[in-house]
Amino acid sequence: LHEESGEAAALELLLAAAESHPDQTAVQIAVANAYLDGDDPKRAQPYLERVLNTPRRSLDDDAFARRQLLALRIEDFDDRYDVAAKNAQSPDPARRAATAVFMREVIATDPLYWQPHMMLGLAVRASDGDVAALGHLNDAVRLRPNDPSLRSILATLLKQMG
């Protein structure tokens, strides 16, 4: 996008800022977004990795970087992820099973991204039971401890379990 609109100078300033301030996640994300929106998204990878190597990053920055890296590493990630998210609680066992398979692939690629653990828990609940679902949901909470929607899902499951 920056190249199309003739804003190469702005990118050069961002790149200089990213090199001068490798611990500033906002700068690293700005550069990553410039590349993700451009013709060569793979050039975002080192900036996303810098975000993950920054000790004082927010949970949102962490989740953003992990999801974007997964999109660079797994073919058709965004489309497959969207389908899996829709099917995690489907009444169709085959759709839930397909979601579970894909979420396991995502977790194998990056075990520290919280959302696939949550979706895996939702997907396996009907087939593998509440205890299996609880284990995956607890993994998600361990990775993202203050997420209110995740805590709500976990509380609902625990209440239903008695």
Side-chain angles (χ1 to χ4, degrees), residues 34-155:
Y35 285 128
L36 290 168
D37 293 340
D39 295 335
D40 192 5
K42 291 236 181 241
R43 291 180 72 183
Q45 185 169 338
Y47 302 96
L48 296 168
E49 289 171 351
R50 279 188 191 171
V51 171
L52 296 180
N53 290 325
T54 303
R56 296 183 53 93
R57 65 187 178 273
S58 73
L59 291 175
D60 288 340
D61 289 347
D62 183 90
F64 172 81
R66 290 185 187 287
R67 182 176 173 121
Q68 296 307 317
L69 283 168
L70 285 163
L72 294 173
R73 294 175 177 151
I74 297 176
E75 190 171 338
D76 299 322
F77 175 80
D78 288 325
D79 292 337
R80 293 172 69 197
Y81 198 84
D82 291 345
V83 168
K86 290 177 188 169
N87 291 331
Q89 296 185 76
S90 170
D92 181 353
R95 288 181 183 204
R96 286 192 314 273
T99 292
V101 167
F102 181 61
M103 287 303 113
R104 286 185 174 102
E105 177 186 348
V106 172
I107 291 167
T109 304
D110 184 353
L112 299 178
Y113 183 33
W114 70 276
Q115 202 171 34
H117 291 280
M118 177 191 72
M119 290 198 310
L120 179 57
L122 296 172
V124 302
R125 184 173 178 212
S127 61
D128 297 358
D130 290 343
V131 173
L134 185 61
H136 296 298
L137 291 170
N138 278 329
D139 287 341
V141 169
R142 178 180 49 80
L143 296 168
R144 185 139 175 133
N146 297 322
D147 187 273
S149 62
L150 181 54
R151 290 226 174 242
S152 176
I153 291 168
L154 187 62

